[in-house]
Amino acid sequence: MREELLAFRGVTRSFLSGEGEINALSNITFSIRSGEFIAIVGASGSGKSTLLNIIGCLDHPTSGSYIINGIETIKLGAEQLSRLRREYFGFVFQRYNLISHLNAIENVEVPAVYAGIYRNQRHTRARDLLIKLGLSERLHHLPGQLSGGQQQRISIARALINGGEIILADEPTGALDTKNGQEIIQILHELHAHGHTVIVVTHDRHVAANADRVIEMSDGVIVKDYTRDLMSGDSPTSPRKIDSFRATIGSKSSSDMMVPGYSGPVVKILASRIFLFIEAFHMARRALLSHKMRSLLTMLGVIIGIASVVSTAAIGEGGKRYVLTDIKSIGANTINIYPGRGWGDSHASTIHTLVPGDAEALSTKDYVDSVTPLVAQNSFVQYGNINARVVVSGVGENFFNVRGFIMSEGIAFGADDVGRQAQVAVIDNNTRNKIFANRRSALGEVIMVGGLPCIVIGIVADNKNIFDDPSNLNVWIPYSTASSRLFGVNHLKSIIVRIREGQSGELADADIKKY
């Protein structure tokens, strides 16, 4: 009695579609014994190809149990299923699935590469298989140089290279004429007679007639499962033809031909991975060289794609840093204090309770780095016969530190200048270019700021950022000078507070409001 090799128990395979869930297989239960020749038949859409994919571990059941030689596959991972495919199955496809840039021997060798078989051994075995299949004159031909029948013979040799016990053939004669189709069926008979389990999926009743068991499917279920008696006489399984395969197919398996010279599990794993890497590199190099234009275009596409991504990322990062620099330049850790109840308060301009004493009091807070009062008005600056409209700001000695301004020439005024209401001024580069265009230096020159003579002692370097109006002309003088001698006010427009590094801006904001 033959052993049970494959067993299906209530297997269902479902797929999701726009109309809901569709069952390609429904509650399939049957078994296959070692050495059987089985034909799975049915119309298109009957589920036979889905069943073959599950048998060959190319797909997995949605529910139920599928057992291979006592091994339950339903919970196996991808690597374990791959190992089962490699050890138990050989695949013969309708469209051959040969690699176009590899010759006959190299195509047959492909499964042996992934099985880790040593190059010389797999080359010899592939050559012997092709010779026995009648391709001794076509060993080094590419698939495009061979007929359909010859390509299918290569596909069969590829299925046998690892000594697969189970041969799965999906419409093996579908793309062949009658003569070549009969030759392929004869080869399958010979493999069956030698002890292989052969499973053929076909819609051709003439092909199915060669099997000794037929499983008929319809709408995802098995409607018939019967055995038949083969005709007597000189069948394709005659001893003469069987013996022609015996020396080649024999009892060799992939484990008999692994890379020699290694022992121990760790060493074997390491050697296997090195071996696979070398083989994969060799195959990749061959593929690239055999399709030079395609490889060039692919590389060009990858280069353009990577360059685009890198450029986009670089532009984004550059823009981010530019904005952060601008924010830092205006004081990312600064708080501006204005009179009134909030933005849009119509009475804010009439509230005069913000005074220099408030700035002095805030400067004593632990979380404060520096404070500057601010009063400002639009006014005119005159130098000789040149007039310009400017923004005149009265500020404290810490203003330039609070705003992060740097002097390109001269110095900023200090606490002593603020205390004695000194008539000194710091101008920006726009103002210098406007009223001192023809002079080598503006330092020490006297300008009339709203009718008040002031000596230019410093020029602020360009501070280009997206938050400042580049068309403004700015002049800064001590707030004490601006309040008493220019604007005639004793209150402030605002106070700017710079928070110490590491201090919480939210806590500082809350404390300032409370104060």
Side-chain angles (χ1 to χ4, degrees), residues 267-324:
V267 176
K268 282 184 177 179
I269 292 174
L270 181 60
S272 175
R273 292 187 176 180
I274 294 174
F275 172 80
L276 286 176
F277 174 79
I278 294 173
E279 292 296 330
F281 178 81
H282 176 70
M283 293 177 68
R285 182 179 64 84
R286 286 284 306 275
L288 290 173
L289 293 178
S290 62
H291 300 91
K292 294 184 178 64
M293 182 56 67
R294 186 177 69 183
S295 301
L296 177 63
L297 293 175
T298 302
M299 290 173 60
L300 183 61
V302 171
I303 291 170
I304 292 173
I306 293 175
S308 300
V309 172
V310 171
S311 299
T312 303
I315 292 172
E317 183 64 23
K320 175 184 174 182
R321 293 189 180 186
Y322 181 78
V323 172
L324 289 177

Side-chain angles (χ1 to χ4, degrees), residues 430-450:
N430 287 345
T431 306
R432 180 194 184 285
N433 294 335
K434 177 67 176 177
I435 64 177
F436 295 107
N438 298 322
R439 297 191 63 84
R440 182 181 299 272
S441 175
L443 298 180
E445 298 294 329
V446 177
I447 59 177
M448 300 297 293
V449 181

Side-chain angles (χ1 to χ4, degrees), residues 132-150:
K132 296 303 181 183
L133 288 169
L135 295 174
S136 57
E137 303 298 326
R138 298 288 188 271
L139 299 179
H140 301 287
H141 284 60
L142 298 176
Q145 300 170 324
L146 302 173
S147 67
Q150 290 169 336

Side-chain angles (χ1 to χ4, degrees), residues 103-136:
N103 63 34
I105 289 181
E106 291 167 336
N107 265 289
V108 174
E109 288 181 318
V110 169
V113 171
Y114 293 101
I117 298 175
Y118 191 55
R119 179 177 297 176
N120 291 340
Q121 292 174 323
R122 71 169 186 259
H123 186 83
T124 300
R125 183 166 171 79
R127 182 177 179 277
D128 291 344
L129 283 168
L130 290 170
I131 290 174
K132 296 303 181 183
L133 288 169
L135 295 174
S136 57

Side-chain angles (χ1 to χ4, degrees), residues 85-305:
R85 283 196 301 271
R86 186 172 66 241
E87 293 181 353
Y88 283 93
F89 299 100
F91 295 87
V92 180
F93 302 97
Q94 178 181 359
R95 294 297 177 184
Y96 326 129
N97 291 347
L98 302 180
I99 301 174
S100 61
H101 66 272
L102 300 182
N103 63 34
I105 289 181
E106 291 167 336
N107 265 289
V108 174
E109 288 181 318
V110 169
V113 171
Y114 293 101
I117 298 175
Y118 191 55
R119 179 177 297 176
N120 291 340
Q121 292 174 323
R122 71 169 186 259
H123 186 83
T124 300
R125 183 166 171 79
R127 182 177 179 277
D128 291 344
L129 283 168
L130 290 170
I131 290 174
K132 296 303 181 183
L133 288 169
L135 295 174
S136 57
E137 303 298 326
R138 298 288 188 271
L139 299 179
H140 301 287
H141 284 60
L142 298 176
Q145 300 170 324
L146 302 173
S147 67
Q150 290 169 336
Q151 291 186 61
Q152 193 63 289
R153 289 169 184 263
I154 295 173
S155 178
I156 292 173
R158 182 180 59 191
L160 296 171
I161 187 69
N162 287 343
E165 182 178 351
I166 306 168
I167 304 299
L168 302 179
D170 186 3
E171 299 284 4
T173 63
L176 304 177
D177 56 31
T178 302
K179 179 183 177 182
N180 282 313
Q182 287 297 327
E183 291 178 355
I184 297 303
I185 292 298
Q186 180 175 305
I187 292 172
L188 293 178
H189 270 293
E190 293 178 7
L191 295 174
H192 170 236
H194 188 68
H196 288 272
T197 301
V198 179
I199 304 174
V200 177
V201 165
T202 182
H203 66 278
D204 189 338
R205 296 285 179 176
H206 296 289
V207 175
N210 290 273
D212 54 17
R213 179 182 173 189
V214 178
I215 296 175
E216 186 172 341
M217 299 191 67
S218 177
D219 296 329
V221 298
I222 296 176
V223 295
K224 289 183 181 179
D225 185 352
Y226 58 92
T227 58
R228 56 181 301 277
D229 294 326
L230 292 174
M231 297 173 61
S232 60
D234 186 11
S235 71
T237 59
S238 62
R240 178 181 58 80
K241 292 173 182 174
I242 295 171
D243 289 341
S244 70
F245 277 95
R246 199 175 300 275
T248 304
I249 301 172
S251 59
K252 287 184 179 181
S253 66
S254 61
S255 61
D256 299 324
M257 299 186 290
M258 299 299 287
V259 182
Y262 300 101
S263 61
V266 176
V267 176
K268 282 184 177 179
I269 292 174
L270 181 60
S272 175
R273 292 187 176 180
I274 294 174
F275 172 80
L276 286 176
F277 174 79
I278 294 173
E279 292 296 330
F281 178 81
H282 176 70
M283 293 177 68
R285 182 179 64 84
R286 286 284 306 275
L288 290 173
L289 293 178
S290 62
H291 300 91
K292 294 184 178 64
M293 182 56 67
R294 186 177 69 183
S295 301
L296 177 63
L297 293 175
T298 302
M299 290 173 60
L300 183 61
V302 171
I303 291 170
I304 292 173

Side-chain angles (χ1 to χ4, degrees), residues 255-491:
S255 61
D256 299 324
M257 299 186 290
M258 299 299 287
V259 182
Y262 300 101
S263 61
V266 176
V267 176
K268 282 184 177 179
I269 292 174
L270 181 60
S272 175
R273 292 187 176 180
I274 294 174
F275 172 80
L276 286 176
F277 174 79
I278 294 173
E279 292 296 330
F281 178 81
H282 176 70
M283 293 177 68
R285 182 179 64 84
R286 286 284 306 275
L288 290 173
L289 293 178
S290 62
H291 300 91
K292 294 184 178 64
M293 182 56 67
R294 186 177 69 183
S295 301
L296 177 63
L297 293 175
T298 302
M299 290 173 60
L300 183 61
V302 171
I303 291 170
I304 292 173
I306 293 175
S308 300
V309 172
V310 171
S311 299
T312 303
I315 292 172
E317 183 64 23
K320 175 184 174 182
R321 293 189 180 186
Y322 181 78
V323 172
L324 289 177
T325 301
D326 284 347
I327 292 174
K328 186 176 181 181
S329 70
I330 66 169
N333 55 342
T334 61
I335 297 176
N336 288 9
I337 304 168
Y338 297 93
R341 295 182 178 274
W343 295 110
D345 186 352
S346 59
H347 300 289
S349 60
T350 63
I351 299 174
H352 301 157
T353 56
L354 203 61
V355 295
D358 295 327
E360 294 175 7
L362 286 172
S363 66
T364 63
K365 297 290 185 178
D366 293 336
Y367 51 80
V368 171
D369 174 78
S370 51
V371 177
T372 179
L374 176 65
V375 291
Q377 287 186 11
N378 291 326
S379 187
F380 288 91
V381 168
Q382 181 179 358
Y383 177 74
N385 62 349
I386 300 175
N387 288 282
R389 186 172 180 81
V390 299
V391 177
V392 179
S393 301
V395 297
E397 68 275 11
N398 293 318
F399 171 79
F400 302 98
N401 176 60
V402 170
R403 289 296 307 273
F405 286 170
I406 298 174
M407 296 294 160
S408 62
E409 297 181 50
I411 59 173
F413 46 78
D416 182 61
D417 295 317
V418 173
R420 62 186 180 85
Q421 301 180 11
Q423 296 177 206
V424 293
V426 175
I427 63 177
D428 63 6
N429 211 39
N430 287 345
T431 306
R432 180 194 184 285
N433 294 335
K434 177 67 176 177
I435 64 177
F436 295 107
N438 298 322
R439 297 191 63 84
R440 182 181 299 272
S441 175
L443 298 180
E445 298 294 329
V446 177
I447 59 177
M448 300 297 293
V449 181
L452 180 69
C454 295
I455 300 175
V456 177
I457 62 172
I459 301 173
V460 172
D462 284 336
N463 188 45
K464 297 178 180 178
N465 64 64
I466 61 176
F467 301 100
D468 286 338
D469 186 346
S471 64
N472 280 347
L473 279 65
N474 291 281
V475 175
W476 296 278
I477 62 177
Y479 77 88
S480 56
T481 306
S483 297
S484 62
R485 298 188 178 185
L486 190 59
F487 302 149
V489 296
N490 57 10
H491 62 275

